[in-house]
Amino acid sequence: ACGGAAPPQHTTLRTLCLATLARVAAEVAEGAGGAGGGYAGRAAFGAGAGSAGVVASLLRSRAGGLLATSLGTGLRVGAGVAASEELPAAVIGNWPVTTLGSRSYVPTRTAEGAWEATGAGDDFPVESAFVPSEYGDSAERTQARLRQVLAGRFLLFGRRLGGLLPQPIYPSDDAASVSPLWFASRPKLPPMLLLTGGADQVVPCDQTTRFAEAARGAGNDVTQLIFEEAGHGGG
């Protein structure tokens, strides 16, 4: 699965992502006996439908990075998680959203290395595009603002428009049930390459770091590539 922001000027980066996917897909298909034949389309390469399944490309899709990490962790909204053999062969997430939780969207690392919940927006190390200054004076107001934005932007506008949920309900578990972050610690996930911007105002770099650390803690092969000082989709 490959998805996320890939502006036109990043032709080289996009080509690299797709070439990597094509190589991994070919190796997987060969290892599965060369089943299928795959497909090639607009910004997409596919493997045969062997034991590792089909590699799906979601480049340039709305919230494509979120969809890619959801596929990679086996997240199925309202239907549990996919079995390991149903996961894609590999995942490349470009500046991916990995959580829709207001308390986990902008995590803060303590001096001891633990992750704390989203605090006041005024204290964020990188200003958030979603939290104007009038909402940033407290953790409570910041989290309420994030719930409003995340629900409207990523959850509640229906599947036909790219949303995960078709009805206006923000999950009572602070969106843990629809967030790849909370499934990252399952073993036997596909290898992942996650591209992030150190100054991303849309998807905080630390959010991806927390996801990558959780996945690696379960023995998974997850690499995070950070473009220092880059914003969302930049590098």
Side-chain angles (χ1 to χ4, degrees), residues 94-172:
N94 302 330
W95 301 268
V97 174
T98 61
T99 179
L100 298 173
S102 64
R103 290 175 54 81
S104 54
Y105 200 81
V106 190
T108 301
R109 194 192 291 275
T110 67
E112 293 75 26
W115 292 105
E116 291 187 337
T118 301
D122 290 345
D123 298 328
F124 289 172
V126 176
E127 181 181 350
S128 173
F130 297 154
V131 185
S133 58
E134 60 265 32
Y135 298 96
D137 56 341
S138 71
E140 291 75 16
R141 295 196 68 198
T142 295
Q143 291 172 19
R145 170 64 178 177
L146 284 171
R147 285 193 294 273
Q148 179 185 34
V149 172
L150 295 172
R153 186 175 293 263
F154 294 115
L155 286 174
L156 308 182
F157 42 78
R159 290 183 182 278
R160 287 191 303 169
L161 295 179
L164 291 176
L165 300 178
Q167 69 277 358
I169 300 174
Y170 188 83
S172 59

Side-chain angles (χ1 to χ4, degrees), residues 43-230:
F45 290 90
S51 61
V54 176
V55 175
S57 174
L58 299 168
L59 277 173
R60 304 303 303 277
S61 297
R62 178 184 293 272
L66 170 62
L67 296 177
T69 52
S70 295
L71 285 172
T73 55
L75 171 60
R76 290 179 171 175
V77 176
V81 296
S84 297
E85 59 269 19
E86 297 178 293
L87 300 179
V91 171
I92 297 178
N94 302 330
W95 301 268
V97 174
T98 61
T99 179
L100 298 173
S102 64
R103 290 175 54 81
S104 54
Y105 200 81
V106 190
T108 301
R109 194 192 291 275
T110 67
E112 293 75 26
W115 292 105
E116 291 187 337
T118 301
D122 290 345
D123 298 328
F124 289 172
V126 176
E127 181 181 350
S128 173
F130 297 154
V131 185
S133 58
E134 60 265 32
Y135 298 96
D137 56 341
S138 71
E140 291 75 16
R141 295 196 68 198
T142 295
Q143 291 172 19
R145 170 64 178 177
L146 284 171
R147 285 193 294 273
Q148 179 185 34
V149 172
L150 295 172
R153 186 175 293 263
F154 294 115
L155 286 174
L156 308 182
F157 42 78
R159 290 183 182 278
R160 287 191 303 169
L161 295 179
L164 291 176
L165 300 178
Q167 69 277 358
I169 300 174
Y170 188 83
S172 59
D173 59 0
D174 198 42
S177 57
V178 294
S179 297
L181 172 65
W182 304 109
F183 300 87
S185 57
R186 62 178 293 195
K188 298 182 180 180
L189 294 181
M192 300 187 190
L193 172 62
L194 307 177
L195 311 182
T196 54
D200 195 332
Q201 295 181 309
V202 177
V203 184
C205 183
D206 282 347
Q207 181 189 129
T208 310
T209 300
R210 184 180 181 183
F211 175 91
E213 289 181 354
R216 287 196 293 265
N220 297 303
D221 181 8
V222 176
T223 298
Q224 179 185 11
L225 179 59
I226 301 175
F227 296 95
E228 298 291 348
E229 307 302 326

